[in-house]
Amino acid sequence: MTKKFPPGKQSNAHLSELAQRIEAPPISWLMDQKLKYPDLISLAAGFTDGPSLPVEEVQKIFKSITRTKKRSMEILQYGVGAGRDLLRDLTASNTAKLDEQDANNPAYHSDRILITHGSQQFLYLLSEALFEKNDIVILEAPTYFVYLGMLQSFGVQSRSIPMKSDGMDIEHLKATLESLKKSGRLSSVKLLYLVSYFQNPTGYSTSYAKKKAILKLVRSYEKHAGHPIYILEDAAYRELKFPATPEQPSMLSLPHARDRVIYSSTYSKPFATGIRVGYGFVPEPLRTILLRIKGNHDFGTANLLQAVVEEALRSGLYSGHVHQLQAEYAKKSEWMCQSIRKYFSSQVRWNHPSGGLYVWAQAPDHVSTGPDSRLFKACLKERVMYVPGSYTYGEDLTPNKPDQSMRISYGSASRSEIQKGIKRLGAALHAAE
Amino acid sequence: MTKKFPPGKQSNAHLSELAQRIEAPPISWLMDQKLKYPDLISLAAGFTDGPSLPVEEVQKIFKSITRTKKRSMEILQYGVGAGRDLLRDLTASNTAKLDEQDANNPAYHSDRILITHGSQQFLYLLSEALFEKNDIVILEAPTYFVYLGMLQSFGVQSRSIPMKSDGMDIEHLKATLESLKKSGRLSSVKLLYLVSYFQNPTGYSTSYAKKKAILKLVRSYEKHAGHPIYILEDAAYRELKFPATPEQPSMLSLPHARDRVIYSSTYSKPFATGIRVGYGFVPEPLRTILLRIKGNHDFGTANLLQAVVEEALRSGLYSGHVHQLQAEYAKKSEWMCQSIRKYFSSQVRWNHPSGGLYVWAQAPDHVSTGPDSRLFKACLKERVMYVPGSYTYGEDLTPNKPDQSMRISYGSASRSEIQKGIKRLGAALHAAE
């Protein structure tokens, strides 16, 4: 009873392969730094703006959804696995509207929607449904780093396609698909993943023309792959566009997209990140499979969370809030850009965002931005933090991951934190140049 | 562009092994019956009692947690992966209290807790961390059928140990472990799973003596297994004990249990199933791995859900509600037992619950209760439904799964539905005898 096995050591060999592969996420290291230096200004976190959170809206919604005993009982009970009917209907019509499509377009049918515990859960369910170890996913370079960590845990390989200001480099994508075909690896390609609006981390959006070209190109390789190659359009930042930025349709609106394009998005970022409700449009047979997997995860997203978002959408409080938020982030972005112009040397290249939460900046070629770099250490000394760009590149680029970039977020920082943070970052950059 | 692949057929061969294995859950077939016959009385669902849901409590909680702008902002923002600090502290102290243990007992330390999106998610995360295809889990027979479906999706094998009224048959467990040792399969045994309080589906609880014996026996085989064999104590129904039923300590309270026993439970069933908050106590290195996997699922359970439960616990509204609920289910169970005495023949054996949501009944030997049985069809004709017992046995018992039992729930049915439902079920049973 008191004997331990194995005596004196604890290995992980008895755990699953996934457990043995999974690594600590880079974000946890960044969070540790924040704990270590409480006076640190974090321009690293992907948190959203605190003061803009819909406090009054949520108070109204709580009142409204608990007005009658009957309604309260319904939302405090289990729901159905795929998500609330009305929430799926509202999600379908809102997405069709954003895409300027007829609500009867079958690509936007609410039966194709799965409501999830944040869009992160959607990405996870899809990964479970698609991937075996050594499968291949085609990625933007750079891309969403939590997705990279997920792929790593599944043992999935990446093929990185450089990101241009209007989306993936199509010629590079073509060359990559050709090379996969020649090496006989095309049959392992399961998915192309793109964050199509105000991408995390670059802030770039994929143009409609490019979406069309990507779909056409990928489909032309399916014959050689021997199976469908899905495209996952992650539109998590779509509703965080700035007021002056024109709306762009998603891939769902393209002809022949319905059976290959998977579209995911979220209500968490544009409404409240503490209310985790995301969703995806999924073709069959994937949707049925995702639904079954989700049944094993949790039987369906908490009915209360769904009811809050549903009421926000139904009442118009959601769209009112989103409009305010778009203006707010445009303003915060402008504060950051002004400070960058003031405090960064002209050797630092950076983009001017048109939506989303991030400025993507490139230090001069000889300046490394990685977590062990002189620059990062100088930043900690100055008490400011960014996300090192090297976190955002697929493992196929190892050991030559680009190492000069920084993701700088104006999401949760206040005006004065943005200004002070950029000043500190500018000082550290000058010191490192 | 218009060419489809593969032409004219759609196979699932391009999906993951999990996707190819996963089957439609039996519960979805039962739910289809309910849709087909709207006047059906379902004694099948594991739903909880509607009128007892904490409507006023939740209204109070909403008010309280949104009283100040600062607090509202905090709960509407992202939280941390492992769960809110205060919620974990309250969970730790409540569990220690239920077990009559000192709050300083390290087995109950809040650092060992992971808050999840219902305890179902906890079961899932643990499965991901432990299992490879063809691994073995030792199960009670019968057991929780959603867990069986999950194991099936992971390609995990089961070894079923008959359930007695005080828990697993220890002699049978010993024989099974011996047989696994002899066949060289002990190294594949990763986990023993037990639903230790008012088990789903039998209503039986595992005695403390048996918990002790199970832990001792399992540990004595670890040397031959070559790795730790964990025990998962799923206490989901623990707080639904009837007022007259004595409290029983969990396995966490046993000496030398801390590094092998994983304890999971939930706030959903005793409070509100629409608010999905569960938790588990997990030893290292598992906890770190579960936390990383959860980070990939959803970064942490929705902060709003956690804040509601935390405030319920902190304010005492939770414990007040649980006491009411325990009395309510005791009453509902009694209504069901009275009706059973009145309407079932003496040939039907059944248990008198002391907690939980279910009566477990055995039809006479020659009466099958399966979904294709004469009895089940007669029940549909009478407009009543139960969960066929065959759903609740591990695949290792195929094709000879016990087929005479029924899980009959008084959870969500009203008094008149319980009485009418049992009358109808009695009539169907008489017809089938």
Side-chain angles (χ1 to χ4, degrees):
Chain A
M1 189 71 185
T2 55
K3 191 165 53 178
K4 279 198 182 179
F5 191 93
K9 56 177 175 174
Q10 177 90 313
S11 97
N12 283 357
H14 59 294
L15 305 180
S16 69
E17 289 184 21
L18 181 141
Q20 291 177 62
R21 273 190 304 257
I22 199 166
E23 290 169 1
I27 198 78
S28 64
W29 183 80
L30 294 174
M31 283 163 74
D32 287 347
Q33 303 312 307
K34 176 74 186 159
L35 287 174
K36 209 164 150 188
Y37 308 108
D39 55 340
L40 194 73
I41 293 178
S42 177
L43 304 176
F47 278 37
T48 50
D49 189 56
S52 312
L53 284 164
V55 172
E56 283 164 37
E57 288 88 336
V58 169
Q59 283 170 339
K60 275 186 203 161
I61 289 166
F62 281 163
K63 255 195 196 152
S64 166
I65 62 177
T66 58
R67 189 158 291 154
T68 68
K69 169 105 181 166
K70 196 181 159 198
R71 183 139 190 230
S72 304
M73 271 167 56
E74 186 262 319
I75 65 166
L76 293 178
Q77 185 59 275
Y78 284 123
V80 293
R84 293 171 71 83
D85 288 348
L86 179 57
L87 178 57
R88 286 188 296 112
D89 287 346
L90 292 166
T91 301
S93 57
N94 283 1
T95 310
K97 202 173 149 193
L98 281 174
D99 279 354
E100 296 187 344
Q101 294 289 308
D102 190 287
N104 293 323
N105 180 334
Y108 301 85
H109 200 288
S110 64
D111 279 354
R112 304 181 69 230
I113 297 176
L114 184 67
I115 303 289
T116 52
H117 187 228
S119 63
Q120 185 67 33
Q121 189 193 35
F122 183 86
L123 302 183
Y124 200 87
L125 294 168
L126 185 66
S127 300
E128 288 186 274
L130 285 178
F131 303 144
E132 288 300 321
K133 191 168 64 174
N134 294 324
D135 277 348
I136 295 170
V137 174
I138 299 175
L139 295 172
E140 296 166 329
T143 190
Y144 173 39
F145 66 80
V146 179
Y147 193 70
L148 290 173
M150 192 193 297
L151 294 182
Q152 187 272 330
S153 79
F154 281 90
V156 168
Q157 298 180 19
S158 58
R159 292 294 183 277
S160 296
I161 313 296
M163 189 66 177
K164 298 187 155 188
S165 61
D166 66 343
M168 277 185 174
D169 181 334
I170 287 284
E171 288 310 312
H172 200 291
L173 174 60
K174 194 170 177 177
T176 300
L177 287 164
E178 265 311 302
S179 148
L180 287 163
K181 181 179 153 191
K182 275 187 193 128
S183 63
R185 292 282 283 135
L186 209 52
S187 62
S188 299
V189 177
K190 295 287 186 73
L191 187 76
L192 181 144
Y193 174 68
L194 67 166
V195 184
S196 55
Y197 296 89
F198 321 113
Q199 195 228 25
N200 177 2
T202 60
Y204 295 150
S205 295
T206 304
S207 70
Y208 196 60
K210 215 151 224 187
K211 288 179 184 177
K212 216 165 179 168
I214 290 169
L215 179 62
K216 187 172 172 183
L217 188 57
V218 167
R219 288 203 78 147
S220 73
Y221 280 85
E222 288 193 342
K223 197 174 56 182
H224 305 286
H227 57 71
I229 301 175
Y230 293 102
I231 297 175
L232 170 54
E233 177 168 17
D234 177 347
Y237 294 87
R238 183 175 194 177
E239 297 200 78
L240 301 186
K241 79 169 191 66
F242 299 159
T245 307
E247 195 58 71
Q248 294 226 48
S250 78
M251 290 181 95
L252 283 179
S253 67
L254 291 171
H256 313 295
R258 184 156 49 108
D259 57 345
R260 288 301 182 270
V261 171
I262 299 154
Y263 174 93
S264 71
S265 195
T266 183
Y267 292 114
S268 302
K269 282 191 196 288
F271 195 62
T273 47
I275 298 173
R276 304 199 53 61
V277 179
Y279 56 93
F281 290 75
V282 204
E284 290 295 356
L286 274 176
R287 183 177 177 275
T288 295
I289 286 163
L290 263 60
L291 187 59
R292 289 179 188 172
I293 301 174
K294 173 132 174 98
N296 285 340
H297 276 221
D298 57 18
F299 319 130
T301 302
N303 214 5
L304 173 68
L305 296 178
Q306 292 190 63
V308 169
V309 172
E310 179 183 282
E311 178 60 17
L313 289 164
R314 196 204 56 76
S315 63
L317 289 167
Y318 178 81
S319 71
H321 177 72
V322 167
H323 282 110
Q324 277 178 21
L325 201 64
Q326 291 175 339
E328 186 63 27
Y329 284 130
K331 205 169 63 187
K332 293 183 81 172
S333 149
E334 202 43 52
W335 293 334
M336 183 169 275
C337 292
Q338 282 166 5
S339 294
I340 287 178
R341 278 186 213 104
K342 192 165 168 188
Y343 297 114
F344 282 14
S345 88
S346 60
Q347 286 192 280
V348 179
R349 283 167 301 135
W350 54 280
N351 69 334
H352 196 126
S354 51
L357 301 175
Y358 312 113
V359 168
W360 180 243
Q362 310 285 327
D365 282 352
H366 62 281
V367 178
S368 169
T369 60
D372 295 322
S373 66
R374 276 176 46 218
L375 175 65
F376 199 88
K377 281 169 192 158
C379 282
L380 286 181
K381 215 175 142 193
E382 296 276 351
R383 300 289 191 266
V384 65
M385 194 167 58
Y386 57 84
V387 171
S390 57
Y391 287 172
T392 64
Y393 289 93
E395 46 70 41
D396 57 311
L397 300 177
T398 312
N400 300 311
K401 288 189 188 181
D403 187 29
Q404 272 69 44
S405 46
M406 299 170 272
R407 190 191 82 172
I408 316 173
S409 175
Y410 46 83
S412 68
S414 67
R415 181 174 191 166
S416 103
E417 283 169 338
I418 289 172
Q419 290 166 339
K420 272 191 221 158
I422 292 296
K423 188 177 176 182
R424 293 176 185 182
L425 184 49
L429 276 162
H430 279 292
E433 267 168 26
Chain B
M1 192 70 183
T2 54
K3 192 168 46 178
K4 282 197 181 178
F5 193 92
K9 55 176 174 175
Q10 178 89 313
S11 98
N12 283 357
H14 59 294
L15 304 181
S16 69
E17 288 184 22
L18 181 140
Q20 292 177 61
R21 273 191 304 259
I22 198 166
E23 289 169 3
I27 198 78
S28 63
W29 183 81
L30 294 174
M31 282 164 75
D32 287 347
Q33 304 311 307
K34 176 75 185 157
L35 286 174
K36 210 164 149 189
Y37 307 107
D39 55 340
L40 193 74
I41 293 178
S42 177
L43 303 176
F47 279 37
T48 51
D49 188 56
S52 312
L53 284 164
V55 172
E56 282 164 37
E57 287 89 337
V58 169
Q59 283 169 339
K60 274 184 204 163
I61 290 167
F62 281 164
K63 254 195 196 151
S64 166
I65 63 178
T66 57
R67 189 159 290 153
T68 68
K69 168 103 180 168
K70 194 179 163 200
R71 184 141 190 230
S72 303
M73 271 167 53
E74 186 262 315
I75 65 165
L76 293 177
Q77 184 61 276
Y78 284 124
V80 293
R84 295 171 70 83
D85 288 349
L86 178 57
L87 178 58
R88 285 187 297 110
D89 287 347
L90 292 166
T91 301
S93 57
N94 283 1
T95 310
K97 201 174 150 195
L98 281 174
D99 279 355
E100 295 187 345
Q101 294 290 308
D102 190 287
N104 294 323
N105 181 332
Y108 300 86
H109 200 287
S110 64
D111 279 354
R112 303 180 71 230
I113 296 177
L114 183 66
I115 303 288
T116 51
H117 187 228
S119 63
Q120 185 66 34
Q121 190 193 33
F122 184 85
L123 302 183
Y124 200 87
L125 294 168
L126 184 66
S127 300
E128 287 187 275
L130 286 179
F131 303 144
E132 288 300 322
K133 191 168 66 175
N134 294 323
D135 278 349
I136 295 170
V137 174
I138 298 175
L139 296 171
E140 295 166 329
T143 189
Y144 173 38
F145 64 81
V146 179
Y147 193 71
L148 290 173
M150 192 193 297
L151 294 182
Q152 187 273 330
S153 79
F154 281 89
V156 168
Q157 296 179 20
S158 59
R159 291 295 184 274
S160 296
I161 312 296
M163 189 67 178
K164 297 186 156 189
S165 61
D166 65 344
M168 277 184 175
D169 180 335
I170 288 283
E171 288 310 312
H172 201 289
L173 174 59
K174 194 170 179 179
T176 299
L177 288 164
E178 266 309 302
S179 149
L180 286 162
K181 181 178 155 192
K182 275 186 191 129
S183 63
R185 294 282 283 134
L186 210 52
S187 62
S188 300
V189 177
K190 295 286 186 74
L191 187 76
L192 181 145
Y193 174 68
L194 67 166
V195 184
S196 55
Y197 295 89
F198 321 113
Q199 194 226 26
N200 178 2
T202 61
Y204 295 151
S205 295
T206 304
S207 70
Y208 196 58
K210 216 154 224 185
K211 288 179 183 177
K212 217 166 179 167
I214 290 170
L215 178 63
K216 186 172 175 185
L217 188 58
V218 166
R219 289 203 78 145
S220 73
Y221 280 86
E222 287 194 342
K223 196 174 57 182
H224 306 286
H227 58 72
I229 301 175
Y230 294 102
I231 297 175
L232 170 54
E233 177 167 18
D234 177 348
Y237 295 87
R238 182 175 194 178
E239 297 200 78
L240 301 187
K241 80 169 191 65
F242 299 159
T245 307
E247 196 60 70
Q248 294 227 47
S250 78
M251 291 181 93
L252 284 178
S253 67
L254 291 171
H256 313 294
R258 187 158 45 110
D259 57 344
R260 287 299 182 270
V261 169
I262 299 154
Y263 174 92
S264 72
S265 193
T266 183
Y267 293 115
S268 302
K269 281 189 196 293
F271 194 62
T273 48
I275 299 173
R276 304 199 54 61
V277 179
Y279 56 92
F281 289 76
V282 205
E284 290 294 355
L286 274 177
R287 184 177 175 276
T288 296
I289 286 163
L290 262 58
L291 187 60
R292 289 178 187 174
I293 302 174
K294 174 134 173 96
N296 285 339
H297 276 221
D298 56 17
F299 320 131
T301 302
N303 214 4
L304 174 67
L305 296 179
Q306 292 189 65
V308 170
V309 172
E310 180 183 280
E311 177 61 16
L313 290 164
R314 195 204 56 77
S315 63
L317 287 167
Y318 177 82
S319 71
H321 178 73
V322 167
H323 282 110
Q324 277 178 20
L325 201 64
Q326 291 175 340
E328 186 64 27
Y329 283 129
K331 205 169 62 185
K332 293 184 82 173
S333 148
E334 203 42 52
W335 293 335
M336 184 169 274
C337 292
Q338 281 166 5
S339 294
I340 287 176
R341 278 185 213 105
K342 192 163 165 190
Y343 297 114
F344 282 15
S345 88
S346 61
Q347 287 191 278
V348 180
R349 284 167 301 136
W350 55 281
N351 70 333
H352 197 126
S354 51
L357 302 175
Y358 312 113
V359 167
W360 180 243
Q362 311 283 327
D365 283 352
H366 62 282
V367 177
S368 168
T369 60
D372 294 321
S373 66
R374 275 175 49 217
L375 174 66
F376 199 88
K377 281 170 192 158
C379 282
L380 287 180
K381 216 176 140 192
E382 295 276 351
R383 298 290 190 266
V384 65
M385 195 168 59
Y386 57 84
V387 172
S390 57
Y391 288 173
T392 64
Y393 290 93
E395 46 71 41
D396 58 310
L397 299 177
T398 312
N400 299 312
K401 290 188 187 180
D403 187 29
Q404 271 70 45
S405 48
M406 299 170 273
R407 189 191 82 172
I408 315 173
S409 174
Y410 46 82
S412 68
S414 67
R415 180 174 194 167
S416 104
E417 284 168 338
I418 289 171
Q419 290 166 336
K420 273 190 220 159
I422 293 295
K423 188 176 176 185
R424 293 176 185 181
L425 184 49
L429 277 161
H430 279 292
E433 268 168 22

